[in-house]
Amino acid sequence: MVDPLGDESLESYAKRLSEHIPKNDEVVLIGVSFGGIIVQEIHKLVNAKKVIIISSVKHCKRLGYSNPNYQYSEQLKLIF
């Protein structure tokens, strides 16, 4: 398991994670929820056959914490 470091950026964390992924064209990246954002960053660094994103967003700017509908979400309070 690769834990994020303190105030490490998403890009830096994705780069460290990508170092543990085989360098071939048969890799399939799969991410669920926040992991979907992580695999999108990793895909910028690794040539993957497919990227599968489950229950996530296309970009971290669309997470929803600025959306008033999510303002009181306990789940978002746990994440952030």
Side-chain angles (χ1 to χ4, degrees):
M1 187 161 146
V2 180
D3 292 324
L5 305 172
D7 61 350
E8 182 174 33
S9 70
L10 183 64
E11 293 83 5
S12 176
Y13 183 48
K15 183 176 181 186
R16 287 193 312 113
L17 287 170
S18 72
E19 294 168 358
H20 298 274
I21 298 172
K23 307 294 187 240
N24 64 55
D25 293 337
E26 297 301 312
V27 171
V28 176
L29 300 173
I30 302 173
V32 177
S33 192
F34 187 68
I37 295 170
I38 298 291
V39 297
Q40 290 175 74
E41 289 297 319
I42 292 172
H43 188 237
K44 294 175 184 177
L45 307 167
V46 173
N47 188 20
K49 182 177 181 177
K50 291 183 182 180
V51 178
I52 300 171
I53 301 166
I54 303 167
S55 295
S56 190
V57 295
K58 290 183 179 181
H59 193 279
C60 61
K61 291 181 181 178
R62 303 210 42 173
L63 281 174
Y65 52 80
S66 62
N67 183 327
N69 296 327
Y70 298 109
Q71 185 174 350
Y72 301 106
S73 171
E74 292 300 316
Q75 199 170 29
L76 287 171
K77 289 178 185 174
L78 290 174
I79 293 171
F80 301 144

